[in-house]
Amino acid sequence: MRTRPLKVALLGCGVVGSEVARIMTTHADDLAQRIGAPVELAGVAVRRPSKVREGITPGLVTTDATALVKRGDIDVVVEVIGGIEPARTLITTALEHGASVVSANKALLAQDGAALHAAAEEHGRDLYYEAAVAGAIPLIRPLRESLAGDKVNRVLGIVNGTTNFILDKMDSTGAGYQEALDEATALGYAEADPTADVEGFDAAAKAAILAGIAFHTRVRLDDVYREGMTEVTAADFRSATEMGCTIKLLAICERAADGGSVTARVHPAMIPLSHPLASVRGAYNAVFVESDAAGQLMFYGPGAGGSPTASAVLGDLVAVCRNRLSGATGPGESAYAALPVSPMGEVVTRYHISLDVADKPGVLAQVATVFAEHGVSIDTVRQQGKDGEASLVVVTHRASDASLSGTVEALRKLDTVRGVASIMRVEGE
């Protein structure tokens, strides 16, 4: 074993960063044996140096992150500060000065992953980011390495623990959205401002990363269709139950049937109770991968939190340190396929539409005619009426988003349709 330690700079020492530092210290001997050399925490960049950080020598703490990553003796920079800037500049500076990088920054990678990969390749260094998607769940490495010889056709997953907790609570207790969100906040699953989670921004960034790796194509955050879950109601869950389904906020990355394009999207969807993702409860994450040779694979576990995310960071740290010792680098960006990303309007799926209609003869015939005129085939219809008003629930066969949008627009113009109560996609067949 080499006795000279590999030096690690840590950018950020919050929930995840402090746990990374703790594991590096408490498991130092084991990490050294696994890597083939000791690892030494050489500096920790923070915004508030006066804060007491248990287990971290005060002399290691600095507010000058730029100076830290420019040090010529740093082997690996671990970035867990999040956001776009200064993280982007710090990572590129670290690569320019000879350090490999381990990051958990999903937002940055979804927006500028191509540029970061190019910088890593230019300087012959590693860029690893297992912790950017689904916390402790090994997902990026299996897609990038274990399935490198296979053809991945679909990635379907629950990649945000906060939203899954809220939807699971609504499903199991009948609670409304706000009530479930309040409980998630009280338990620490939701941030004071939960917008990034409940509006799907967090999941969309992860979908961009997963699609890029799975399909060997550059997929940016702007390419991902995003729809939040704030409009999901208790009534939607009752409808799902009647269909033998539940509702999840899903990240869906698909290769077109002809192989000529891909799609990436995030939105609430009904999934059958028989599907493995339907049983994912609480704040857990799970990702379902479908490929030609391996078939169907499911990855499940805690998707967030200090310890789970730190576990993924440390796994990358070990891999990168091994590469440093051997003088090699791991796999970089694979974007050779360069497939176009199709717009949401071309996505084909099933739909569940709930309409408020007049309770009188001929309404169903009018509604069915509108669906037929727009080329949308109906699978099932359920109607309930009382006191001159009725609820009409239509479940379609597979249809494009564009054709369904045209159908709904035409339905709103019917005098007998009082309103469109809800529209939800049905996935996971």
Side-chain angles (χ1 to χ4, degrees):
M1 178 189 294
R2 193 180 88 166
T3 57
R4 183 168 63 83
L6 292 162
K7 294 189 176 184
V8 178
L10 179 61
L11 307 183
C13 198
V15 173
V16 176
S18 59
E19 191 65 9
V20 169
R22 185 192 68 78
I23 295 173
M24 286 184 62
T25 301
T26 58
H27 295 187
D29 291 341
D30 285 340
L31 290 172
Q33 292 295 327
R34 295 168 191 173
I35 292 169
V39 286
E40 173 189 317
L41 190 58
V44 181
V46 299
R47 286 184 296 177
R48 296 185 295 275
S50 59
K51 181 179 178 180
V52 176
R53 294 173 172 83
E54 186 177 350
I56 297 178
T57 303
L60 295 178
V61 176
T62 178
T63 58
D64 194 343
T66 301
L68 179 60
V69 300
K70 283 184 175 181
R71 281 174 47 176
D73 62 336
I74 298 297
D75 295 289
V76 183
V77 169
V78 175
E79 182 272 311
V80 288
I81 57 177
I84 305 302
E85 288 292 356
R88 173 171 49 198
T89 298
L90 291 171
I91 288 175
T92 54
T93 301
L95 294 167
E96 291 168 359
H97 285 77
S100 290
V101 173
V102 173
S103 176
N105 196 329
K106 54 188 169 287
L108 177 58
L109 289 158
Q111 179 172 305
D112 289 318
L116 296 179
H117 275 293
E121 182 178 2
E122 178 184 355
H123 299 288
R125 293 293 180 254
D126 279 320
L127 174 64
Y128 276 45
Y129 43 90
E130 184 68 63
V133 179
I137 305 172
L139 185 58
I140 289 177
R141 190 171 287 113
L143 283 172
R144 193 159 66 169
E145 299 178 29
S146 303
L147 295 174
D150 206 343
K151 179 184 178 183
V152 176
N153 296 309
R154 195 180 198 214
V155 180
L156 172 76
I158 299 164
V159 295
N160 183 278
T162 299
T163 54
N164 199 58
F165 177 89
I166 293 171
L167 292 172
D168 182 41
K169 185 61 62 174
M170 292 175 69
D171 187 20
S172 60
T173 69
Y177 165 75
Q178 189 59 51
E179 182 183 350
L181 173 60
D182 290 343
E183 183 172 350
T185 304
L187 293 172
Y189 292 126
E191 300 287 345
D193 180 0
T195 302
D197 294 325
V198 300
E199 294 294 353
F201 291 100
D202 176 84
K206 296 169 181 175
I209 295 170
L210 291 175
I213 296 171
F215 307 133
H216 305 279
T217 292
R218 288 178 178 168
V219 179
R220 293 178 44 125
L221 181 59
D222 291 346
D223 296 322
V224 181
Y225 173 83
R226 177 195 55 79
E227 185 180 317
M229 49 153 284
T230 57
E231 300 301 318
V232 176
T233 66
D236 291 325
F237 274 100
R238 288 193 292 271
S239 294
T241 299
E242 291 172 356
M243 287 183 59
C245 293
T246 188
I247 299 171
K248 300 291 186 181
L249 184 74
L250 299 178
I252 305 170
C253 312
E254 292 180 307
R255 188 190 299 269
D258 63 4
S261 64
V262 300
T263 59
R265 50 197 165 102
V266 168
H267 53 71
M270 294 182 180
I271 57 172
L273 294 176
S274 58
H275 194 281
L277 290 178
S279 62
V280 178
R281 312 303 296 266
Y284 275 70
N285 285 191
V287 177
F288 206 69
V289 178
E290 301 173 9
S291 68
D292 276 1
Q296 297 179 332
L297 307 170
M298 182 167 165
F299 301 84
Y300 169 85
S307 293
T309 306
S311 171
V313 170
L314 266 295
D316 278 350
L317 179 63
V318 168
V320 169
C321 286
R322 287 172 175 168
N323 290 343
R324 294 284 289 196
L325 290 180
S326 66
T329 56
E333 182 188 34
S334 175
Y336 72 92
L339 296 171
V341 181
S342 296
M344 187 62 186
E346 297 179 12
V347 170
V348 175
T349 188
R350 296 177 69 204
Y351 289 87
H352 175 283
I353 305 103
S354 180
L355 304 171
D356 295 326
V357 299
D359 186 14
K360 63 182 183 180
V363 173
L364 180 56
Q366 286 183 326
V367 169
T369 297
V370 170
F371 276 87
E373 288 174 346
H374 288 80
V376 179
S377 176
I378 294 176
D379 182 15
T380 62
V381 177
R382 185 174 71 255
Q383 184 172 4
Q384 294 177 324
K386 184 179 180 181
D387 298 329
E389 298 297 330
S391 173
L392 187 66
V393 175
V394 178
V395 179
T396 74
H397 287 291
R398 292 176 66 83
S400 72
D401 188 81
S403 62
L404 196 283
S405 295
T407 302
V408 171
E409 184 177 350
L411 287 171
R412 295 183 193 276
K413 296 178 181 178
L414 293 178
D415 292 340
T416 51
V417 175
R418 309 299 192 212
V420 180
S422 68
I423 304 170
M424 190 164 295
R425 297 168 184 87
V426 183
E427 302 283 351
E429 297 173 272

